[in-house]
Amino acid sequence: MNSKKVDRIATGVIYLLVAIVILILVGILGNILIAGVPHLSWHFLTSISSSFEAGGGIRDQLFNSLYLLVLTLVISLPIALGAAIYLAEYAQDTWVTRLIRTTIEILSSLPSIVVGLFGYLLFVVQFGLGFSIIAGALALTFFNLPILTSNIEQAINGVPQTQREAGWALGLSNWKTIRGIVLPAALPGIITGVILSAGRVFGEAAALIYTAGQSGSTVDYSNWNMFSPTSFLNVMRPAETLAVHIWKVNTEGIIPDVNLVSAATSALLVIVVIIFNFGARFLGNWLYKHLTAAKVK
């Protein structure tokens, strides 16, 4: 068999594998959206959930999911960014650095339920935070930090060394070169890492069952005092998210319209993740263009 024929066969196999991946993704997303989108309505999005009767909504679960995502990113992103900069720009290639990277890889592969049980013992029981949003956000930070650090480090390592050398040649310090040249050039990769980790956080359920709880307190969206027990901004209140709500209604099966609520909630979860992805990419491309004056490929 000549080399041209081998090349055509290899190319065909690659296209076939890509087509299989696309078909699987389209099948999963299409099934979820087709089953759930017809049941989405303004009433469903703005009504509180019902424990026994049909016709409940997901207002609080939607807000709790977004609130937990923002809190988790606020906590984990600065830590992951600092750790990634250290590993990529400052750390020497020693056994200590290799041990840190191996530890990060092991932590990123931990099952989420293990992280949830760890968060329950540490934050809920030991620190006395109880089932609360902040306990859930801290558990998700442990869950999110390894993969976010690894993605940001890879993005920083992907910046050509010549760009660093250009900064040093202009007399810039190492930190100014990192801040003014390396980080803006690595921004698309960093945004991709944030999107991947955010999607993982937004759809997480197992870790939150043991930390944020499976029920929500009465929430007043006009109360902006975050220390008030009824305030929607209070981080010490228990909070049920969309993913936990899907798990709960399916396992309990008490409400008559469980299939409708489950399908619509799943579709909304997918739609929010897609909107977040496109929004983050748009913001990242805009920042990359303005910080580097370069076009996004």
Side-chain angles (χ1 to χ4, degrees):
M1 189 178 295
N2 58 46
S3 58
K4 290 185 177 178
K5 196 170 183 180
V6 172
D7 182 66
R8 284 198 296 272
I9 293 174
T11 305
V13 170
I14 290 171
Y15 277 111
L16 177 64
L17 294 175
V18 171
I20 292 173
V21 172
I22 293 174
L23 282 174
I24 292 173
L25 288 175
V26 171
I28 294 173
L29 291 177
N31 184 46
I32 293 173
L33 294 175
I34 291 172
V37 168
H39 304 298
L40 289 177
S41 64
W42 183 249
H43 173 78
F44 183 74
L45 297 177
T46 57
S47 301
I48 60 173
S49 60
S50 173
S51 300
F52 305 102
E53 299 178 351
I58 53 166
R59 181 193 67 180
D60 296 339
Q61 287 78 9
L62 177 59
F63 174 78
N64 292 336
S65 297
L66 296 172
Y67 195 26
L68 261 169
L69 175 61
V70 171
L71 282 178
T72 303
L73 289 180
V74 166
I75 297 171
S76 61
L77 184 55
I79 300 173
L81 186 61
I85 291 174
Y86 169 76
L87 290 172
E89 299 292 330
Y90 292 98
Q92 303 294 322
D93 187 18
T94 62
W95 68 270
V96 176
T97 309
R98 289 194 289 274
L99 179 63
I100 293 173
R101 289 199 174 93
T102 303
T103 306
I104 290 173
E105 291 172 0
I106 293 172
L107 287 174
S108 65
S109 61
L110 279 178
S112 58
I113 194 165
V114 174
V115 178
L117 287 171
F118 171 77
Y120 171 76
L121 293 174
L122 183 64
F123 303 122
V124 177
V125 177
Q126 193 67 30
F127 289 175
L129 297 176
F131 290 110
S132 60
I133 291 178
I134 189 63
L138 291 172
L140 288 180
T141 298
F142 274 83
F143 181 68
N144 187 39
L145 207 51
I147 191 169
L148 187 57
T149 303
S150 180
N151 287 334
I152 295 176
E153 185 191 358
Q154 289 178 16
I156 294 174
N157 285 331
V159 177
Q161 183 64 18
T162 52
Q163 295 198 24
R164 296 177 179 82
E165 294 172 353
W168 298 332
L170 291 172
L172 299 178
S173 64
N174 196 29
W175 169 242
K176 283 189 175 179
T177 302
I178 294 170
R179 190 187 63 188
I181 297 175
V182 176
L183 289 181
L187 194 58
I190 294 174
I191 294 294
T192 300
V194 172
I195 290 171
L196 291 174
S197 60
R200 197 177 178 210
V201 167
F202 197 76
E204 179 53 38
L208 293 175
I209 291 172
Y210 294 101
T211 52
Q214 304 176 39
S215 61
S217 56
T218 304
V219 177
D220 181 5
Y221 288 93
S222 63
N223 186 354
W224 290 81
N225 180 8
M226 64 182 302
F227 298 104
S228 171
T230 59
S231 172
F232 66 101
L233 294 175
N234 189 344
V235 296
M236 298 306 294
R237 63 179 174 84
E240 183 182 86
T241 63
L242 288 174
V244 175
H245 188 61
I246 294 170
W247 173 83
K248 185 179 175 183
V249 296
N250 278 286
T251 51
E252 293 181 349
I254 297 176
I255 54 177
D257 57 347
V258 56
N259 292 330
L260 185 151
V261 172
S262 180
T265 307
S266 301
L268 179 65
L269 199 150
V270 171
I271 290 170
V272 172
V273 170
I274 292 173
I275 292 174
F276 180 84
N277 286 1
F278 279 107
R281 286 196 183 281
F282 175 79
L283 178 62
N285 292 341
W286 184 84
L287 288 173
Y288 181 73
K289 184 178 177 181
H290 282 75
L291 290 175
T292 65
K295 293 183 178 179
V296 180
K297 295 180 181 178

